[in-house]
Amino acid sequence: MEPSDFNIPERTWKGRALLLVDLDAFFASVEQLDHPEWRGKPVIVGGRSDRRGVVSTASYEARAFGVHSAMPSATAERLCPDAIWTSSHFDRYHELSAQVMGILKDESPLLEQMSIDEAYLDVSPGRYTGEDPVAIAARIQARVAELGITCSIGVATGKAVAKIASDMDKPRGLTVVYPGGEAAFLAPMDVRAMPGIGKQSAERLRRIGIRTLGALADTPLDKLTPLFGVNAQAVRDRARGIDPREIATESEVKSVSHERTFATDLVTREEIEDAIDMLGPMVGRRLRKKGLAGHTVTIKLRYADLSRRTAQKGLPANVDDETVFIPVAKRLIDEIWRPGDSVRLVGLGISGFEAHDEQLGLFADEELPAGNAELLSAADKIRDKFGDGMLKFGRELKIRHETSGTTGMNDGRL
Ligand code: TTP
Ligand code: MG
């Protein structure tokens, strides 16, 4: 293979340097760590097919058979009949996640955690450390490996390229896109490789003859405006590797959140979903009142044993509309809850009000449903006048009478 433009190392890194660190087959790797006899073998974390479950994740040995996250367990069993199956052990995953985040914070406090196993780290020379970003990335890999799990890292000048790079050479990959090499790195890729360009955008681009990010980068703006409106330039910039989004460090993050304690423990997924359906409109209304929109959804569950778990998900745009963030919040349940867990408290919050504003609505046609601003604004008015109890949508009603106490509105972190 010819040396590509994007991987010619320079002696010193100039400008911004962001790492995207993502743990390899995270849940499965923790299971292999905790069960040495499972190492090197296909391990699947998830509910088995007799319970109509889906795969949470699979070790790379199982992925060789085609098994992947979100696949129905029945399919996974067929593809890999000899796999070792296990249910999730979230407390362990959170423990390991916290240890990894601790290592990252030690390398640079400029950290934005995106999920349980993924974080951006700003290691721009001169910002916090003068060290070479690639050397830092290599050291992080070594330090994480000491915990008994592995990670892949993308190093680049911006978020999108770092994210794509982190996924290029999993597991244990270290992919570096040097400053100035972004456009050449992206050019041959399918437009779908760009985070935020989903099925719909890709299809619309295909209809005007654009399949690769290179082609997108070279397209005149007047051809993109009908597709992306005011965001056409931002979309094209992203394809050219121009991505000035800052990382949002924890200290800047504020959230609007609500939580509720229940008199009787919630024991089914549906009951937890009902709680989210109830909390969502309270959070949404509070956001709209404050004129805030955020790109991180957090749910918090407290269990009968009083232990607490949270799960977070980043959104491709800032939102204040509960019809958009409630479905995302519900999908997070599986990260921290499994059948049999008794839940005493449910919290829901939106945070990350900064930075992403430039990309608001950028790729708004996918991943996020359109939302329902008009209806919500009408509902807000009724609630303003008569209070929260006056208007309830669907399932909200079911759960109201089951609550024993409410913690008030709070603008702190979940
Ligand atoms: P990912 O980072 O998407 O996946 P991974 O770490 O298992 O594998 P990779 O090497 O490709 O990064 O997700 C992190 C964890 O989140 C994963 O280990 C299990 C959980 N998860 C689910 O439970 N369901 C899902 O559909 C996905 C994508 C992840
Ligand atoms: Mg991962």
Side-chain angles (χ1 to χ4, degrees):
M1 207 177 101
E2 297 222 347
S4 318
D5 286 343
F6 62 82
N7 62 13
I8 297 168
E10 288 177 9
R11 196 164 300 225
T12 53
W13 188 287
K14 290 195 186 63
R16 212 156 68 116
L18 298 187
L19 311 184
L20 189 281
V21 181
D22 188 309
L23 298 168
D24 298 323
F26 179 42
F27 292 5
S29 301
V30 175
E31 297 299 337
Q32 288 177 320
L33 172 67
D34 291 349
H35 304 86
E37 67 280 16
W38 293 355
R39 293 177 198 167
K41 295 189 176 151
V43 172
I44 299 175
V45 180
R48 290 204 83 142
S49 57
D50 49 339
R51 281 186 279 146
R52 282 186 284 147
V54 294
V55 172
S56 269
T57 194
S59 70
Y60 276 82
E61 293 84 1
R63 291 185 200 195
F65 293 86
V67 179
H68 58 75
S69 289
M71 171 181 276
S73 299
T75 313
E77 283 193 338
R78 201 166 60 241
L79 289 172
C80 190
D82 295 329
I84 298 156
W85 285 76
T86 173
S87 55
S88 309
H89 299 95
F90 296 107
D91 292 339
R92 279 292 286 154
Y93 310 151
H94 280 276
E95 201 175 314
L96 266 297
S97 172
Q99 287 173 5
V100 170
M101 297 304 156
I103 291 172
L104 300 184
K105 277 185 198 152
D106 179 52
E107 294 287 347
S108 165
L110 306 170
L111 171 117
E112 181 179 357
Q113 187 173 344
M114 304 303 289
S115 74
I116 191 168
D117 87 326
E118 185 184 337
Y120 286 106
L121 199 64
D122 187 328
V123 291
S124 306
R127 226 187 135 179
Y128 177 70
T129 151
E131 235 185 307
D132 174 50
V134 183
I136 296 173
R139 186 171 58 229
I140 287 171
Q141 287 192 308
R143 292 180 69 181
V144 170
E146 281 171 21
L147 300 175
I149 54 177
T150 63
C151 65
S152 295
I153 302 183
V155 191
T157 57
K159 279 184 166 180
V161 174
K163 165 90 178 157
I164 295 169
S166 75
D167 210 33
M168 295 264 307
D169 194 24
K170 271 184 161 286
R172 288 182 293 276
L174 174 54
T175 304
V176 184
V177 181
Y178 283 86
E182 299 84 5
F185 170 75
L186 296 172
M189 294 179 187
D190 189 284
V191 291
R192 286 294 299 274
M194 179 59 65
I197 297 192
K199 229 176 163 171
Q200 264 185 316
S201 289
E203 173 56 24
R204 287 198 237 155
L205 286 166
R206 195 193 57 76
R207 272 190 239 129
I208 60 166
I210 298 167
R211 288 169 191 277
T212 64
L213 290 171
L216 179 56
D218 290 338
T219 305
L221 277 187
D222 56 6
K223 284 183 90 177
L224 296 176
T225 305
L227 275 64
F228 297 106
V230 291
N231 298 307
Q233 171 136 23
V235 173
R236 192 178 67 178
D237 277 353
R238 203 70 65 77
R240 293 175 169 181
I242 301 164
D243 181 7
R245 289 174 298 162
E246 287 288 342
I247 64 161
T249 61
E250 249 175 66
S251 56
E252 300 160 8
V253 176
K254 293 229 168 76
S255 82
V256 170
S257 63
H258 277 273
E259 56 186 43
R260 189 155 289 197
T261 307
F262 297 93
T264 318
D265 289 347
L266 311 183
V267 292
T268 67
R269 197 177 195 291
E270 207 201 359
E271 287 173 329
I272 301 169
E273 290 198 1
D274 286 346
I276 289 173
D277 278 323
M278 177 194 62
L279 295 167
M282 299 165 85
V283 174
R285 174 164 161 251
R286 183 83 169 152
L287 285 168
R288 291 186 291 278
K289 242 186 161 158
K290 289 175 166 283
L292 292 169
H295 57 263
T296 303
V297 182
T298 303
I299 64 165
K300 175 170 86 174
L301 300 180
R302 193 182 293 279
Y303 300 84
D305 65 1
L306 299 184
S307 67
R308 198 194 88 155
R309 295 176 202 141
T310 62
Q312 280 197 336
K313 174 99 182 124
L315 301 171
N318 285 23
V319 301
D320 64 0
D321 179 340
E322 63 265 25
T323 62
V324 177
F325 62 72
I326 284 175
V328 179
K330 288 179 180 175
R331 285 201 292 277
L332 284 171
I333 294 171
D334 291 327
E335 280 193 22
I336 52 175
W337 178 86
R338 61 170 185 262
D341 291 342
S342 296
V343 172
R344 190 143 294 177
L345 172 148
V346 179
L348 172 64
I350 294 290
S351 58
F353 303 127
E354 63 301 298
H356 280 42
D357 295 39
E358 316 106 60
Q359 68 154 7
L360 209 160
L362 184 55
F363 308 119
D365 64 336
E366 39 254 316
E367 273 105 36
L368 292 177
N372 209 340
E374 228 169 87
L375 175 68
L376 291 174
S377 146
D380 284 353
K381 282 195 189 119
I382 294 173
R383 286 190 164 118
D384 282 344
K385 213 162 167 186
F386 301 107
D388 258 323
M390 194 58 207
L391 185 68
K392 297 285 176 190
F393 290 118
R395 283 182 175 170
E396 273 187 72
L397 282 170
K398 275 201 285 182
I399 209 144
R400 194 156 48 106
H401 64 277
E402 290 169 14
T403 61
S404 68
T406 307
T407 60
M409 300 184 175
N410 92 70
D411 294 341
R413 306 195 61 234
L414 265 178

